[in-house]
Amino acid sequence: MASDWREETMQAGGVNLQVFHGGEGEPLLVLHGAGGNPGWMPYHEALAEQFHVYAPSHPGFGASDRPDWIDRLHDLAYVYHWFLDELKLGPLPVLGFSMGGWLAAEMMAMYPELIRRVALVGAAGMKPSEGEITDIFLMTPEEVAELRFYDKSQVPQYDELFGQSPTPEQQQMAVWDREMSALLTWKPYMYNPKMPFLMAQVKTPALIVWGKQDAIVPLHCGERYAQAISGAVLKVIDQCGHSPQFEKPQAFLDAVLPFLTAH
């Protein structure tokens, strides 16, 4: 990795957060999904050519604190309000993946003055009126990994990024992350029934990015986000599953970089 990225502990309202950050330019907040923070990845590196990227581990994930009072997704939105306020980062663009996209949508509704524009990638949070969001907690992590990509042979450096056997420490961390995801997203599973009404009030520029063959969060959820948010643009990436940032990295960057850098 070329950029001068680093891992640090930062505070938000008394909550210690593990944060990977680096790059040049204005700040960009990147919010990970239910599988946990993957660390500094090639797409962070590419984004860091245009931004100073902040990629925190949500409370309860990775090496971040797990406060007892956090048990719903909108609780995380409060923590990130404090994070942006204490670091004086807003207003800034936000990029959210899967559950992190749901979180970004909640933040956009809760404090739009701090969010300049939002890109939601395969975002949970919106109940599909056709089909359903796959229940990843009824599956093994290996089964979820198989569903994540349309064709894993398309993923650059797949073996390096995903093909290694996890260490015991990594296995334990994955269990903790999975427990926290279940706590935050259960009943109703992976959506907020208020989301269509919240998004109807949003005036923040929004880009919705989806893999056409997403087998975890169906494309119909992306279409509902695009319909609900005034002026939102939906970008669908063909022959791509739930994680375009890994499976179709150039198409992903071609979609999000012009949007995130626009003023």
mmCIF file of all heavy atoms in Angstrom, residues 99-118:
data_model
loop_
_atom_site.group_PDB
_atom_site.id
_atom_site.type_symbol
_atom_site.label_atom_id
_atom_site.label_comp_id
_atom_site.label_asym_id
_atom_site.label_seq_id
_atom_site.Cartn_x
_atom_site.Cartn_y
_atom_site.Cartn_z
ATOM 1 N N MET A 99 -24.679 -3.180 5.836
ATOM 2 C CA MET A 99 -25.179 -2.617 7.090
ATOM 3 C C MET A 99 -24.656 -1.203 7.310
ATOM 4 O O MET A 99 -25.343 -0.350 7.881
ATOM 5 C CB MET A 99 -24.789 -3.516 8.266
ATOM 6 C CG MET A 99 -25.372 -3.099 9.618
ATOM 7 S SD MET A 99 -24.623 -3.969 11.016
ATOM 8 C CE MET A 99 -23.039 -3.089 11.158
ATOM 9 N N GLY A 100 -23.429 -0.935 6.851
ATOM 10 C CA GLY A 100 -22.879 0.412 6.946
ATOM 11 C C GLY A 100 -23.612 1.404 6.060
ATOM 12 O O GLY A 100 -23.653 2.599 6.354
ATOM 13 N N GLY A 101 -24.212 0.916 4.964
ATOM 14 C CA GLY A 101 -25.062 1.773 4.147
ATOM 15 C C GLY A 101 -26.342 2.142 4.878
ATOM 16 O O GLY A 101 -26.799 3.286 4.818
ATOM 17 N N TRP A 102 -26.919 1.164 5.566
ATOM 18 C CA TRP A 102 -28.083 1.434 6.416
ATOM 19 C C TRP A 102 -27.731 2.490 7.456
ATOM 20 O O TRP A 102 -28.464 3.468 7.666
ATOM 21 C CB TRP A 102 -28.535 0.133 7.060
ATOM 22 C CG TRP A 102 -29.649 0.229 8.063
ATOM 23 C CD1 TRP A 102 -30.408 1.324 8.391
ATOM 24 C CD2 TRP A 102 -30.150 -0.841 8.867
ATOM 25 N NE1 TRP A 102 -31.329 1.013 9.365
ATOM 26 C CE2 TRP A 102 -31.190 -0.322 9.669
ATOM 27 C CE3 TRP A 102 -29.806 -2.190 8.987
ATOM 28 C CZ2 TRP A 102 -31.897 -1.107 10.581
ATOM 29 C CZ3 TRP A 102 -30.506 -2.969 9.890
ATOM 30 C CH2 TRP A 102 -31.541 -2.427 10.673
ATOM 31 N N LEU A 103 -26.576 2.327 8.102
ATOM 32 C CA LEU A 103 -26.120 3.295 9.093
ATOM 33 C C LEU A 103 -25.968 4.682 8.472
ATOM 34 O O LEU A 103 -26.394 5.692 9.053
ATOM 35 C CB LEU A 103 -24.799 2.819 9.695
ATOM 36 C CG LEU A 103 -24.066 3.769 10.635
ATOM 37 C CD1 LEU A 103 -24.933 4.181 11.813
ATOM 38 C CD2 LEU A 103 -22.763 3.116 11.119
ATOM 39 N N ALA A 104 -25.375 4.760 7.278
ATOM 40 C CA ALA A 104 -25.208 6.054 6.605
ATOM 41 C C ALA A 104 -26.563 6.705 6.328
ATOM 42 O O ALA A 104 -26.714 7.925 6.451
ATOM 43 C CB ALA A 104 -24.429 5.863 5.303
ATOM 44 N N ALA A 105 -27.560 5.887 5.956
ATOM 45 C CA ALA A 105 -28.898 6.430 5.703
ATOM 46 C C ALA A 105 -29.517 6.988 6.984
ATOM 47 O O ALA A 105 -30.136 8.059 6.972
ATOM 48 C CB ALA A 105 -29.793 5.340 5.116
ATOM 49 N N GLU A 106 -29.343 6.289 8.100
ATOM 50 C CA GLU A 106 -29.847 6.782 9.388
ATOM 51 C C GLU A 106 -29.170 8.100 9.762
ATOM 52 O O GLU A 106 -29.824 9.039 10.241
ATOM 53 C CB GLU A 106 -29.600 5.741 10.490
ATOM 54 C CG GLU A 106 -30.310 4.411 10.294
ATOM 55 C CD GLU A 106 -31.734 4.401 10.829
ATOM 56 O OE1 GLU A 106 -32.180 5.429 11.377
ATOM 57 O OE2 GLU A 106 -32.387 3.341 10.710
ATOM 58 N N MET A 107 -27.864 8.186 9.536
ATOM 59 C CA MET A 107 -27.121 9.410 9.834
ATOM 60 C C MET A 107 -27.595 10.567 8.970
ATOM 61 O O MET A 107 -27.757 11.693 9.447
ATOM 62 C CB MET A 107 -25.622 9.157 9.616
ATOM 63 C CG MET A 107 -25.000 8.187 10.614
ATOM 64 S SD MET A 107 -23.384 7.543 10.081
ATOM 65 C CE MET A 107 -22.414 9.046 9.923
ATOM 66 N N MET A 108 -27.851 10.284 7.701
ATOM 67 C CA MET A 108 -28.298 11.309 6.759
ATOM 68 C C MET A 108 -29.649 11.877 7.189
ATOM 69 O O MET A 108 -29.903 13.073 7.044
ATOM 70 C CB MET A 108 -28.372 10.673 5.369
ATOM 71 C CG MET A 108 -28.803 11.538 4.247
ATOM 72 S SD MET A 108 -28.492 10.791 2.612
ATOM 73 C CE MET A 108 -29.338 9.212 2.737
ATOM 74 N N ALA A 109 -30.498 11.001 7.719
ATOM 75 C CA ALA A 109 -31.806 11.464 8.196
ATOM 76 C C ALA A 109 -31.699 12.199 9.515
ATOM 77 O O ALA A 109 -32.443 13.153 9.771
ATOM 78 C CB ALA A 109 -32.755 10.270 8.340
ATOM 79 N N MET A 110 -30.757 11.792 10.369
ATOM 80 C CA MET A 110 -30.668 12.306 11.733
ATOM 81 C C MET A 110 -29.958 13.660 11.803
ATOM 82 O O MET A 110 -30.375 14.555 12.538
ATOM 83 C CB MET A 110 -29.941 11.276 12.614
ATOM 84 C CG MET A 110 -30.054 11.520 14.096
ATOM 85 S SD MET A 110 -29.143 10.275 15.070
ATOM 86 C CE MET A 110 -30.087 8.799 14.751
ATOM 87 N N TYR A 111 -28.866 13.818 11.054
ATOM 88 C CA TYR A 111 -28.124 15.098 11.104
ATOM 89 C C TYR A 111 -27.572 15.435 9.717
ATOM 90 O O TYR A 111 -26.370 15.373 9.464
ATOM 91 C CB TYR A 111 -27.014 15.069 12.160
ATOM 92 C CG TYR A 111 -26.239 13.774 12.306
ATOM 93 C CD1 TYR A 111 -25.091 13.515 11.561
ATOM 94 C CD2 TYR A 111 -26.640 12.820 13.236
ATOM 95 C CE1 TYR A 111 -24.377 12.344 11.721
ATOM 96 C CE2 TYR A 111 -25.935 11.634 13.401
ATOM 97 C CZ TYR A 111 -24.805 11.409 12.640
ATOM 98 O OH TYR A 111 -24.101 10.238 12.802
ATOM 99 N N PRO A 112 -28.470 15.838 8.801
ATOM 100 C CA PRO A 112 -28.057 16.121 7.420
ATOM 101 C C PRO A 112 -27.051 17.259 7.305
ATOM 102 O O PRO A 112 -26.322 17.328 6.310
ATOM 103 C CB PRO A 112 -29.381 16.471 6.729
ATOM 104 C CG PRO A 112 -30.302 16.897 7.829
ATOM 105 C CD PRO A 112 -29.911 16.063 9.010
ATOM 106 N N GLU A 113 -26.993 18.132 8.305
ATOM 107 C CA GLU A 113 -26.065 19.261 8.217
ATOM 108 C C GLU A 113 -24.598 18.824 8.257
ATOM 109 O O GLU A 113 -23.700 19.583 7.850
ATOM 110 C CB GLU A 113 -26.340 20.258 9.352
ATOM 111 C CG GLU A 113 -25.965 19.788 10.747
ATOM 112 C CD GLU A 113 -26.962 18.841 11.384
ATOM 113 O OE1 GLU A 113 -27.994 18.531 10.751
ATOM 114 O OE2 GLU A 113 -26.704 18.397 12.521
ATOM 115 N N LEU A 114 -24.333 17.590 8.724
ATOM 116 C CA LEU A 114 -22.961 17.101 8.803
ATOM 117 C C LEU A 114 -22.582 16.204 7.629
ATOM 118 O O LEU A 114 -21.426 15.810 7.503
ATOM 119 C CB LEU A 114 -22.747 16.325 10.108
ATOM 120 C CG LEU A 114 -22.805 17.145 11.401
ATOM 121 C CD1 LEU A 114 -22.576 16.242 12.610
ATOM 122 C CD2 LEU A 114 -21.777 18.268 11.377
ATOM 123 N N ILE A 115 -23.567 15.871 6.790
ATOM 124 C CA ILE A 115 -23.351 14.908 5.699
ATOM 125 C C ILE A 115 -23.513 15.635 4.373
ATOM 126 O O ILE A 115 -24.605 16.077 4.024
ATOM 127 C CB ILE A 115 -24.351 13.731 5.783
ATOM 128 C CG1 ILE A 115 -24.438 13.176 7.217
ATOM 129 C CG2 ILE A 115 -23.983 12.658 4.783
ATOM 130 C CD1 ILE A 115 -23.190 12.554 7.736
ATOM 131 N N ARG A 116 -22.425 15.757 3.616
ATOM 132 C CA ARG A 116 -22.460 16.521 2.369
ATOM 133 C C ARG A 116 -23.074 15.719 1.221
ATOM 134 O O ARG A 116 -23.824 16.245 0.411
ATOM 135 C CB ARG A 116 -21.043 16.968 2.001
ATOM 136 C CG ARG A 116 -20.988 17.957 0.869
ATOM 137 C CD ARG A 116 -19.628 18.592 0.729
ATOM 138 N NE ARG A 116 -18.570 17.654 0.398
ATOM 139 C CZ ARG A 116 -18.396 17.126 -0.809
ATOM 140 N NH1 ARG A 116 -19.230 17.403 -1.801
ATOM 141 N NH2 ARG A 116 -17.398 16.291 -1.030
ATOM 142 N N ARG A 117 -22.728 14.447 1.128
ATOM 143 C CA ARG A 117 -23.327 13.541 0.143
ATOM 144 C C ARG A 117 -23.074 12.111 0.605
ATOM 145 O O ARG A 117 -22.151 11.855 1.376
ATOM 146 C CB ARG A 117 -22.818 13.778 -1.285
ATOM 147 C CG ARG A 117 -21.331 13.916 -1.453
ATOM 148 C CD ARG A 117 -20.946 14.320 -2.891
ATOM 149 N NE ARG A 117 -21.701 15.476 -3.332
ATOM 150 C CZ ARG A 117 -22.326 15.565 -4.512
ATOM 151 N NH1 ARG A 117 -22.277 14.578 -5.385
ATOM 152 N NH2 ARG A 117 -23.003 16.635 -4.843
ATOM 153 N N VAL A 118 -23.892 11.176 0.138
ATOM 154 C CA VAL A 118 -23.836 9.801 0.638
ATOM 155 C C VAL A 118 -23.875 8.819 -0.529
ATOM 156 O O VAL A 118 -24.705 8.947 -1.433
ATOM 157 C CB VAL A 118 -25.017 9.510 1.592
ATOM 158 C CG1 VAL A 118 -25.113 8.024 1.904
ATOM 159 C CG2 VAL A 118 -24.875 10.305 2.873
#
